[in-house]
Amino acid sequence: MRIIESFDDKEALSIAAADAIIDAAGRAIAADGRFLFVLAGGSTPEATYKLLAAPDRRDRIDWSRTYIFFGDERLVPYDDPRSNYGMAKQSLLKDIPVAPDHIFPMTTDLPGVEAAQAYSDTLTQFFGPETTPWFHLTLLGLGDDGHTASLFPGKAALHETKAYAVSTPPGVLPPPVDRITLTFPILNSSREVLFLIAGEGKAAPVQAILEGGATLETHPAAGVTAPEGKVTWMLDRPATTKLWEQD
């Protein structure tokens, strides 16, 4: 199931996303006793993380029952400003009462193939060897080129069906550093996916994906369908400017 929600601006989108995450956490903990949550990189999620960490919201999630994973990472040190983990730590993790052993960042001090295997091993250890990893909620963004996580147009990672995580070279957008990314089978295991998308630069790929015409090769985000759950596209108004254009 796909849902499209539009907001006046990035601030309103970020507030709605923070509240949606709180609601998802409550449902997950009520149903399963824990909340399995995948973070995304990018400026829009960062604004949402800051809201979740603020005093008026952070106590609305039971962080003692929350387990935090990452959808992708750049192969840079955690203190590098390009690090997704570093951004999440500064905007969210340092300000919430989550146990260190409930946070599962991607290793970045190994070569890409080894780092990807290490994260696959982490997921296998957490979920068990007989269970395909799955999550209650996965956050994703959208690049101007149609990529999501670090699944870039035309790259081999788009067609991986067995590995949980793979290494991949960068796409055409900066920063030009190698990456690790979860693969489509794992992203699509989520019960719920939230795309957080802001800015006029996203309008063309949003239109291609939501109105049809996008392929996996040209717009990898089109491959995120969560067949056992739902996918919500949360867009600010500039990102919707090409949707439903009149002839």
Side-chain angles (χ1 to χ4, degrees), residues 141-154 158 172-173 184 195 197 201-209 214-224 233:
L142 178 71
D144 294 3
D145 61 351
H147 85 269
T148 194
S150 284
L151 295 162
F152 295 104
L158 300 180
V172 298
L173 301 177
F184 280 120
F195 276 98
I197 303 169
K202 311 299 173 67
V206 164
Q207 180 191 40
I209 294 166
T215 69
L216 188 70
E217 287 291 330
T218 62
H219 297 79
V224 179
W233 288 69

Side-chain angles (χ1 to χ4, degrees), residues 41-107:
S43 61
T44 306
E46 182 178 15
T48 297
Y49 299 157
K50 290 178 179 178
L51 291 169
L52 285 175
D56 60 334
R57 282 188 175 84
R58 64 179 171 225
D59 293 337
R60 294 168 60 191
I61 291 179
D62 186 347
W63 297 105
S64 71
R65 298 188 181 189
T66 299
Y67 297 82
I68 294 175
F69 302 85
F70 288 79
D72 72 318
E73 185 57 277
R74 288 96 176 240
L75 287 176
V76 296
Y78 292 151
D79 60 359
D80 188 296
R82 298 170 294 181
S83 167
N84 287 342
Y85 171 75
M87 180 274 284
K89 180 179 178 180
Q90 291 304 313
S91 58
L92 175 66
L93 302 178
K94 68 179 179 60
D95 294 319
I96 58 174
V98 62
D101 62 356
H102 284 206
I103 304 171
F104 300 91
M106 292 177 165
T107 298

Side-chain angles (χ1 to χ4, degrees), residues 1-2 132-135 183-193 195 221-232:
M1 178 173 61
R2 184 166 71 189
T132 299
W134 64 274
F135 306 101
T183 57
F184 280 120
I186 306 307
L187 294 177
N188 280 324
S189 73
S190 296
R191 295 181 180 175
E192 185 172 357
V193 174
F195 276 98
V224 179
T225 58
E228 301 300 321
K230 68 176 180 178
V231 179
T232 302

Side-chain angles (χ1 to χ4, degrees), residues 15-29:
I15 292 170
D19 290 339
I21 293 165
I22 291 167
D23 290 345
R27 292 193 302 269
I29 292 169

Side-chain angles (χ1 to χ4, degrees), residues 5-20:
E5 299 180 354
S6 176
F7 303 90
D8 286 341
D9 51 32
K10 180 179 174 181
E11 181 181 5
L13 184 160
S14 300
I15 292 170
D19 290 339

